[in-house]
């Protein structure tokens, strides 16, 4: 009944596209920024890190109006690309500090050994650091995906066309002024949880491998 009365699958598809785009871009930016904050300790780095941390303290309701003004000027209202940009702005600050914490646990001697063998800085990051940081990447990816999937303020304000709604906004359509369609709302809510459960099951082996790595010495 839910699928016939509402375009739930379309809403889930819109959310999936926004989550995929924002998670991939945010994780890339957070990984490079977190690695920079972990390995370089200049005054500029400390100021950048503090700025990222302070920006995370701003509530979404405070920055949604500037986003709306900017996106109206850039013609990004009712555009999923605008939601991707908004989610990146919200997710990157905390994700950067998450990745910095993981990189701080990795000894720098591994990168120095790679450089002695002829690797550049980027090659050492790609071939040595990132494989060891897979648990951190998985945890950070899950965090970014959940934040983007459950986001409501930007999705409700920056998108008005029902065909472009995300699943969080679509669920609100089951709540009327005088009546709440509880059976349909609960059914749609359960369906909306499935993608995140699948994502967690796919990334869970990386989290487990990270917790158990180093437990057995050869």
């Amino acid at each position: 009944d839910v699928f016939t009365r509402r375009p739930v699958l379309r809403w889930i598809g819109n959310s999936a596209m926004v989550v995929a785009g924002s998670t991939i871009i945010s994780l890339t930016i957070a990984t490079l920024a977190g690695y920079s904050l972990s390995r370089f300790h200049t005054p500029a780095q400390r100021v950048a890190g503090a700025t990222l941390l302070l920006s995370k303290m701003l509530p979404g309701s405070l920055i949604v109006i500037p986003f709306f003004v900017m996106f109206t000027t850039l013609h990004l209202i009712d555009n999923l690309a605008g939601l991707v940009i908004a989610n990146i702005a919200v997710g990157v600050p905390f994700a950067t500090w998450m990745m910095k914490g993981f990189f701080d646990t990795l000894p720098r001697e591994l990168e120095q050994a790679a450089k002695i063998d002829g690797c550049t800085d980027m090659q050492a990051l790609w071939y040595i650091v990132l494989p060891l940081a897979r648990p951190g990447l998985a945890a950070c990816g899950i965090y970014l995906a959940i934040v983007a999937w459950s986001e409501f303020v930007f999705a409700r304000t920056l998108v008005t066309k029902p065909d472009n709604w995300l699943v969080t906004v679509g669920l609100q359509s089951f709540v009327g002024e005088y009546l709440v369609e509880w059976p349909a709302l609960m059914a749609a809510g359960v369906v909306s949880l499935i993608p995140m459960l699948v994502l967690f099951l796919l990334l869970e082996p990386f989290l487990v491998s990270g917790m158990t790595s180093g437990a057995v010495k050869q």
Side-chain angles (χ1 to χ4, degrees), residues 74-194:
L74 298 174
H75 304 289
L76 289 176
I77 298 296
D78 279 326
N79 193 323
L80 296 182
L83 293 179
V84 171
I85 296 173
N87 286 328
I88 291 172
V90 172
V92 164
F94 187 73
T96 297
W97 279 93
M98 284 184 66
M99 292 308 303
K100 177 185 180 300
F102 283 106
F103 288 133
D104 286 342
T105 63
L106 301 178
R108 299 186 182 186
E109 289 76 13
L110 296 175
E111 300 159 63
Q112 295 171 355
K115 294 177 183 178
I116 292 175
D117 291 337
C119 288
T120 63
D121 290 334
M122 290 303 298
Q123 287 175 331
L125 173 63
W126 181 261
Y127 293 109
I128 304 299
V129 177
L130 290 185
L132 295 175
R134 284 185 300 177
L137 292 172
C140 192
I142 291 174
Y143 162 77
L144 291 170
I146 292 176
V147 168
W149 186 267
S150 61
E151 203 286 316
F152 178 79
V153 175
F154 295 125
R156 188 70 182 93
T157 307
L158 304 178
V159 175
T160 57
K161 295 180 180 178
D163 287 341
N164 292 335
W165 279 355
L166 302 190
V167 68
T168 51
V169 181
L171 291 177
Q172 190 199 25
S173 66
F174 293 99
V175 181
E177 184 177 359
Y178 302 107
L179 177 67
V180 179
E181 302 177 56
W182 287 111
L185 178 60
M186 293 297 101
V190 171
V191 172
S192 69
L193 294 176
I194 295 175

Side-chain angles (χ1 to χ4, degrees), residues 5-79:
R5 294 169 53 191
R6 299 282 204 286
V8 176
L9 292 179
R10 184 180 183 87
W11 295 338
I12 291 177
N14 292 339
S15 293
M17 288 189 290
V18 171
V19 168
S22 59
T23 299
I24 292 173
I25 298 174
S26 298
L27 188 59
T28 302
I29 296 174
T31 299
L32 296 175
Y35 181 77
S36 175
L37 292 177
S38 175
R39 293 299 187 258
F40 305 102
H41 301 285
T42 63
Q45 296 291 105
R46 289 192 287 270
V47 171
T51 302
L52 286 172
L53 191 60
L54 290 175
S55 65
K56 183 59 182 173
M57 299 179 183
L58 298 176
S61 57
L62 181 65
I63 61 178
V64 68
I65 296 177
F67 270 122
F68 183 83
V69 174
M70 289 189 295
F71 288 175
T72 301
T73 304
L74 298 174
H75 304 289
L76 289 176
I77 298 296
D78 279 326
N79 193 323

